[in-house]
Amino acid sequence: MPSASPQLSWQYVEKWAETRPLDESLVFKGRRLNWSEVRARVDATAKAFIAAGVGKGDRVALLSMGCLEFPITFMAAAKIGAVWLGLSPKFTRPELAAILTDARPNVLIGLREFNGNDLSSLLLDLRGDVPEIREVWVIGDPFDGAESFEACTARPRPRLDETLGRMAAEVGPGDDLLLMYTSGSTGTPKGVIHTHRSTMTSVEIQNRHFGTREKSRLFMQFPINHVAADVELGLAAIRAGATLVIEDRFDPAESLRIVERERITFLGGVPAMFLLQFATPEFKEVDLSSVETFVWGGSPAPRAVVETLAKIASRTGARLVTGYGSTETGGFVTYSNPEDDLQTLTRTAGCAARPVELRIVDEHRQRLSLGEPGEIAFRGPSLMRGYWNNATATREVMDDEGWYYSGDVAWLDERGCLHMVGRTSEMYKTGGENVYPREVEEVLERHPAVASAAVIGVANTTYHEVGVAFLVLRSGASATDEELRAHCRSILANFKVPKYFECREKLPVLASGKVDKLALKRDVLPRFQVEY
């Protein structure tokens, strides 16, 4: 039985299973589960984890896109005090191996097939890379070395009922719950660790601002390694008792058809997703009247996006919401207000949401006045506990008073609205995905023809920013764009691969000897602001 006042995410699964057992909870490609069915699958999966030797504080990893197994394995891990990690099958083996070597999960669950590719060899290779992985469970046809997830979790384990109850009772709000990896400025993956308390605080604030409730129907089409999927949609739906409609990829036309067919009430995305939807023939015909809340984040939205959504909202009464947040903050920490006009929605990222504190600081971390640009700092209960196995990196961004320093630059107006300026790091965002140039540069410099590389992000009306790589080739060497692109794709996820390549005899440098990337931007920016 759930507690009278649930504090933990999995307790809400039990609450809704007790009070609304037949109400729809999860939808995925025609498969529908009610809350009673979700609770049964969560408990069965939790007992399978226990049988595999997973205990409190241990990690379990899911290599998949969106699927029913995403919230089920997440809540099963939560119930026994384990830490859940989502991985994207878009990543290459080196990228996945680096993350798993750091996280050291006991169980790895993965898709058998993704985008027409058999992942069985990848799953076994990853198990070989990480000795802590005791078992591999596969979603799909089993193979030698991997048991079927469905078969494993369907196995009756009545003798573990008491163990499951005892382990669940030992889980507290301050225990670790969720591990999400985000690259640092050097390209080295950093694991952001969140607790039960930090994530539930975040979704309670979010649900209040988004108007999410029991009758809401949320559409999730983000990869499961993203805070948007894990917290802002997955945990938010569970906390509210809402229905989560899941897709395993973003298809602009099909996503619009799903919104109409499933009567979606909450539609969120990065601006590039909305732009791609607007460009489809379906957009002019689809019925969006069910949508009560449109949300965008990840990057500022072009005015055209906001104006188009505002036209829809003027007919349907939907609310428009934007904000600012990150993996480290557990999702949005600033929100726009319902009464905000188009100028506010396009030029600001809203105001800090209570109980989060926000301030703008200089290079010495001293508070700046209104209107002065500086680094954004936050403090509040939704912040991460720190970086997994990386106390040094944690100390670099969090001080003893609990302030987190984001690396992003902005200024505050007299209303407390956040005006984004840029980033203190060189990171850029393409289609809502973070790309750190040094990681890409290191990959390019592995190519036998490349002597040195510099990568920058330039503005793009569809993807917000795209990567441009500037190369100095080795003497007498040559390389085509396609060769360089293929080289990058063999090591990096596709979104990290630069859109453009340009070879030069030399790169501009600063007095320090570092490449002058501002000079590169000034030189090429007009040529690469391409509209798709």
Side-chain angles (χ1 to χ4, degrees):
M1 288 288 293
S3 63
S5 179
Q7 294 181 296
L8 310 175
S9 52
W10 63 267
Q11 291 174 335
Y12 281 95
V13 174
E14 299 202 344
K15 173 183 177 178
W16 306 128
E18 291 292 336
T19 60
R20 299 163 47 223
L22 301 182
D23 284 3
E24 195 167 70
S25 172
L26 301 176
V27 178
F28 177 65
K29 294 191 178 303
R31 299 168 62 191
R32 300 175 186 273
L33 298 179
N34 60 39
W35 284 105
S36 179
E37 293 167 327
V38 169
R39 178 176 63 175
R41 294 194 184 201
V42 166
D43 285 354
T45 304
K47 287 188 280 189
F49 283 151
I50 296 170
V54 178
K56 187 175 183 179
D58 290 335
R59 278 75 61 206
V60 298
L62 175 63
L63 177 61
S64 170
M65 296 299 286
C67 58
L68 293 178
E69 290 79 6
F70 152 55
I72 289 169
T73 57
F74 192 180
M75 291 300 94
K79 189 166 185 176
I80 63 172
V83 180
W84 186 89
L85 165 65
L87 300 168
S88 171
K90 295 180 180 180
F91 279 40
T92 64
R93 177 186 170 185
E95 292 171 313
L96 293 168
I99 291 172
L100 289 169
T101 299
D102 187 61
R104 304 188 308 277
N106 299 134
V107 174
L108 173 61
I109 307 156
L111 295 174
R112 174 64 191 264
E113 182 272 335
F114 175 68
N115 274 351
N117 298 315
D118 188 336
L119 301 187
S120 57
S121 295
L122 173 63
L123 291 169
L124 292 180
D125 286 343
L126 292 172
R127 181 175 188 174
D129 292 334
V130 185
E132 287 84 1
I133 298 176
R134 302 188 193 119
E135 296 189 18
V136 174
W137 303 343
V138 63
I139 301 170
D141 295 332
F143 53 90
D144 190 22
E147 186 174 4
S148 161
F149 173 83
E150 184 176 357
C152 187
T153 57
R155 191 172 300 133
R157 293 183 171 91
R159 288 182 294 178
L160 290 180
D161 288 345
E162 183 178 341
T163 303
L164 175 58
R166 174 180 53 79
M167 293 180 71
E170 294 173 353
V171 181
D175 290 329
D176 293 342
L177 168 69
L178 175 62
L179 182 57
M180 297 175 285
Y181 277 80
T182 177
S183 294
S185 58
T186 63
T188 303
K190 290 186 294 187
V192 174
I193 189 73
H194 275 281
T195 65
H196 291 263
R197 179 183 292 113
S198 68
T199 54
M200 294 309 290
T201 300
S202 181
V203 298
E204 286 166 7
I205 296 170
Q206 175 191 288
N207 287 355
R208 183 172 70 246
H209 283 270
F210 292 166
T212 310
R213 60 192 193 285
E214 292 181 15
K215 297 299 182 182
S216 297
R217 297 178 67 81
L218 285 65
F219 190 19
M220 196 208 94
Q221 46 191 337
F222 290 95
I224 65 168
N225 60 310
H226 275 217
V227 68
D230 300 346
V231 179
E232 296 173 314
L233 289 165
L235 289 179
I238 290 169
R239 170 66 176 83
T243 302
L244 186 65
V245 179
I246 303 171
E247 271 295 295
D248 58 0
R249 67 201 67 212
F250 172 66
D251 179 296
E254 178 60 18
S255 67
L256 290 171
R257 289 190 285 266
I258 292 172
V259 170
E260 180 179 75
R261 183 171 66 247
E262 293 291 338
R263 305 301 294 164
I264 297 298
T265 66
F266 177 95
L267 183 60
V270 299
M273 295 167 70
F274 285 114
L275 282 170
L276 292 169
Q277 288 173 325
F278 298 164
T280 65
E282 285 78 4
F283 177 67
K284 295 181 181 179
E285 306 296 332
V286 72
D287 178 9
L288 298 177
S289 62
S290 65
V291 180
E292 299 172 355
T293 307
F294 291 98
V295 177
W296 65 92
S299 62
R303 188 173 182 86
V305 169
V306 182
E307 287 177 341
T308 302
L309 293 176
K311 288 179 182 177
I312 298 171
S314 68
R315 298 193 304 267
T316 66
R319 72 178 80 188
L320 305 183
V321 184
T322 188
Y324 168 87
S326 68
T327 306
E328 287 88 346
T329 63
F332 278 12
V333 282
T334 70
Y335 294 83
S336 59
N337 295 307
E339 65 274 11
D340 285 342
D341 57 20
L342 286 180
Q343 181 168 308
T344 301
L345 290 170
T346 54
R347 295 186 180 181
T348 83
C351 303
R354 295 178 182 176
V356 173
E357 299 175 73
L358 181 157
R359 65 187 183 187
I360 304 298
V361 300
D362 62 18
E363 63 271 23
H364 304 295
R365 295 184 172 175
Q366 297 301 303
R367 189 167 194 161
L368 293 170
S369 301
L370 295 178
E372 291 188 88
E375 185 175 11
I376 310 170
F378 291 100
R379 182 168 65 179
S382 64
L383 292 180
M384 67 173 181
R385 181 172 64 76
Y387 292 119
W388 181 259
N389 287 334
N390 200 334
T392 300
T394 301
R395 285 193 296 269
E396 289 174 354
V397 299
M398 297 186 77
D399 65 20
D400 293 339
E401 295 180 348
W403 287 97
Y404 162 69
Y405 298 91
S406 68
D408 289 329
V409 179
W411 56 275
L412 290 172
D413 63 24
E414 65 281 357
R415 299 169 297 170
C417 288
L418 193 69
H419 294 249
M420 303 302 299
V421 173
R423 284 175 277 276
T424 59
S425 70
E426 297 172 349
M427 183 198 84
Y428 62 92
K429 286 196 172 187
T430 182
E433 298 274 8
N434 293 352
V435 180
Y436 292 85
R438 188 57 203 152
E439 180 185 18
V440 184
E441 290 161 2
E442 288 175 350
V443 168
L444 283 166
E445 288 168 357
R446 294 183 208 173
H447 191 283
V450 176
S452 62
V455 175
I456 63 173
V458 297
N460 180 272
T461 53
T462 298
Y463 296 100
H464 181 53
E465 293 173 294
V466 295
V468 182
F470 299 90
L471 310 169
V472 176
L473 300 182
R474 298 181 185 275
S475 178
S478 63
T480 67
D481 288 5
E482 281 308 307
E483 288 171 350
L484 294 166
R485 191 169 287 112
H487 169 73
C488 289
R489 283 177 175 160
S490 69
I491 302 171
L492 298 169
N494 190 55
F495 66 82
K496 299 179 184 178
V497 178
K499 287 281 187 183
Y500 305 103
F501 299 85
E502 181 171 312
C503 295
R504 295 189 167 193
E505 290 186 5
K506 61 181 181 179
L507 299 175
V509 294
L510 300 166
S512 63
K514 295 181 180 180
V515 174
D516 187 349
K517 292 189 174 180
L518 288 177
L520 287 175
K521 283 196 173 188
R522 287 193 297 267
D523 184 19
V524 305
L525 193 60
R527 294 191 283 121
F528 288 102
Q529 284 183 311
V530 178
E531 188 165 337
Y532 287 87

